[in-house]
Amino acid sequence: MKLLNVAGFFALAPTLVPALEPITTSLAFCGAAVMWQLFSPASWLKCRFLECCNMKDTLDIPALQMVLEQKVFGQHLATQVVLKALSAHSRDKQPRKPLVMSFHGWTGTGKSFVSKIIARNLYQSHEARRSFVHQFDAVLHFPHAEHIKQYKEQLQNWIRGNVSVCPRSLFIFSEMDQMPHGLIDSIMPYLSHREAINGIYYGKAIFLFLNNAGGDKITEVALDHWRRQKGREEIPLTDLQSMLSAEIFNNRNSGFWNSKLIQKNLVDYFIPFLPLEYKHVKKCIQEELHYQGHQEDEDLIIKIALAMSDYPNEDRIYSSKGCKTVASKVNLDT
């Protein structure tokens, strides 16, 4: 209301003070317009320079696709599903439920990296990401299973509070393998098909779960295809997704063990991240050399990639750590 009065004052200024020069009057108008834009909830100017919840569905799918294709190696299945899922959810003006994706694979295969790419595409500024992208590490935030009752209450309050501030909130749960059993079920009401809960609408929110669970099964499938002289591009996505759903539900070392989220089909996509081969690790090393400002050194790239290709022992096709330790290897050898 105060801003409205200020704007009204400047609008009446030319009649109240006819002696004002044209330049002064123009500056007054501009000042009032800028102030109004900065403090208006739906202001484009506020969203341009200050923190702003992404309520205009400005996910840039072509830009996201380009980054995933250029920066994520060996994960054609994962990137395809992520792009389709985000595109469909962002086009829907009133989604029936939040978008829920669960990423599975060995460490270093790109699960965290892809989640960061999604966050940066959704919110370009660091300040906006700090406000509207929420990360939970099971080991850091939920270390004691005996405190699960307290964790459930804290987690519900955190999600409810943040979605009430920004419906297009992004929640990332890492180290799901270390999640106390039963804790993740506490957020089940917010992932269901509902219009609103106590006046809060959750349909525009996005939830990402990052799991190592299922990684061994994914590798078994990939290795079997390799031994049958089939390319990884021939691995059927539907078979992997069905296998992952059953694997993490029945796996005691999974945060989804006997989870109601799976029983109620509230996880929209189980996304496999395949083990990385020698050629993919080479690309990671090239990227890291560029990032650190070094010239490409093919001999060095081959040396590090060969050393990291260690699974299985007899064939050494995959890197058991993916690209996780590439940065430290490059640091040691440059």
Side-chain angles (χ1 to χ4, degrees):
M1 183 60 69
K2 289 181 179 179
L3 286 173
L4 207 55
N5 291 337
V6 171
F9 170 79
F10 281 117
L12 292 173
T15 59
L16 293 174
V17 190
L20 281 177
E21 296 179 1
I23 293 177
T24 306
T25 305
S26 298
L27 289 174
F29 275 120
C30 290
V34 169
M35 290 293 290
W36 176 252
Q37 277 290 328
L38 284 176
F39 289 96
S40 173
S43 163
W44 65 266
L45 188 61
K46 176 183 176 183
C47 295
R48 176 65 179 83
F49 293 105
L50 303 176
E51 298 177 26
C52 186
C53 174
N54 191 340
M55 282 300 296
K56 294 187 177 180
D57 300 318
T58 53
L59 262 171
D60 190 339
I61 297 299
L64 178 62
Q65 180 176 359
M66 184 176 67
V67 174
L68 290 174
E69 289 176 351
Q70 292 179 351
K71 300 295 184 181
V72 180
F73 308 123
Q75 302 301 350
H76 66 286
L77 292 177
T79 55
Q80 287 171 10
V81 178
V82 166
L83 280 169
K84 289 180 180 178
L86 287 169
S87 180
H89 192 255
S90 64
R91 284 197 310 265
D92 193 338
K93 300 304 180 185
Q94 196 77 5
R96 290 178 294 173
K97 67 180 293 295
L99 174 60
V100 183
M101 296 187 283
S102 188
F103 295 173
H104 299 267
W106 275 357
T107 184
T109 51
K111 302 183 299 293
S112 295
F113 187 47
V114 170
S115 70
K116 290 176 182 176
I117 291 174
I118 293 171
R120 287 173 184 151
N121 184 275
L122 190 61
Y123 293 109
Q124 286 77 36
S125 76
H126 174 72
E127 288 300 317
R129 286 197 299 274
R130 193 168 64 178
S131 297
F132 309 127
V133 177
H134 313 285
Q135 302 195 42
F136 301 90
D137 184 305
V139 176
L140 178 64
H141 294 105
F142 315 114
H144 306 295
E146 63 271 20
H147 296 159
I148 188 169
K149 185 176 180 180
Q150 178 184 350
Y151 294 154
K152 285 182 177 181
E153 184 177 347
Q154 290 174 342
L155 189 53
Q156 288 175 336
N157 289 337
W158 187 253
I159 291 175
R160 185 166 53 243
N162 282 293
V163 175
S164 68
V165 172
C166 178
R168 183 65 88 190
S169 289
L170 173 62
F171 299 94
I172 303 171
F173 293 81
S174 61
E175 304 293 343
M176 279 294 296
D177 317 81
Q178 307 298 320
M179 181 76 72
H181 292 150
L183 174 56
I184 203 63
D185 284 350
S186 66
I187 70 172
M188 185 175 66
Y190 311 128
L191 307 187
S192 301
H193 296 75
R194 300 187 182 187
E195 291 187 1
I197 302 174
N198 295 326
I200 302 174
Y201 171 62
Y202 294 86
K204 286 186 176 290
I206 300 171
F207 291 80
L208 306 179
F209 300 111
L210 314 186
N211 306 260
N212 290 332
D216 290 344
K217 291 289 186 181
I218 294 170
T219 302
E220 285 179 18
V221 172
L223 188 57
D224 178 65
H225 269 67
W226 180 83
R227 285 174 173 162
R228 289 191 287 135
Q229 298 185 334
K230 291 187 175 183
R232 61 200 281 130
E233 292 77 15
E234 299 178 65
I235 297 174
L237 175 63
T238 52
D239 290 356
L240 280 176
Q241 289 180 318
S242 299
M243 177 270 292
L244 284 172
S245 175
E247 167 68 14
I248 64 173
F249 181 79
N250 296 307
N251 186 346
R252 282 181 171 270
N253 295 320
S254 162
F256 285 116
W257 179 55
N258 285 342
S259 172
K260 293 178 181 177
L261 299 190
I262 297 179
Q263 287 181 328
K264 300 290 185 180
N265 297 310
L266 296 179
V267 178
D268 301 303
Y269 302 95
F270 295 94
I271 301 179
F273 282 70
L274 300 172
L276 297 184
E277 300 175 7
Y278 167 78
K279 61 184 179 183
H280 305 127
V281 176
K282 281 185 67 178
K283 291 181 179 179
C284 290
I285 298 166
Q286 289 172 332
E287 281 291 312
E288 186 61 30
L289 285 170
H290 292 159
Y291 178 76
Q292 293 191 19
H294 302 299
Q295 294 291 324
E296 277 196 29
D297 183 333
E298 187 63 21
D299 290 338
L300 176 62
I301 292 170
I302 291 172
K303 172 188 171 184
I304 296 175
L306 284 173
M308 293 183 66
S309 301
D310 58 358
Y311 184 88
N313 288 332
E314 63 274 17
D315 298 307
R316 300 175 68 88
I317 305 164
Y318 305 121
S319 169
S320 61
K321 295 183 177 65
C323 287
K324 190 84 170 183
T325 59
V326 162
S328 61
K329 301 283 187 185
V330 170
N331 286 335
L332 285 173
D333 288 298
T334 54

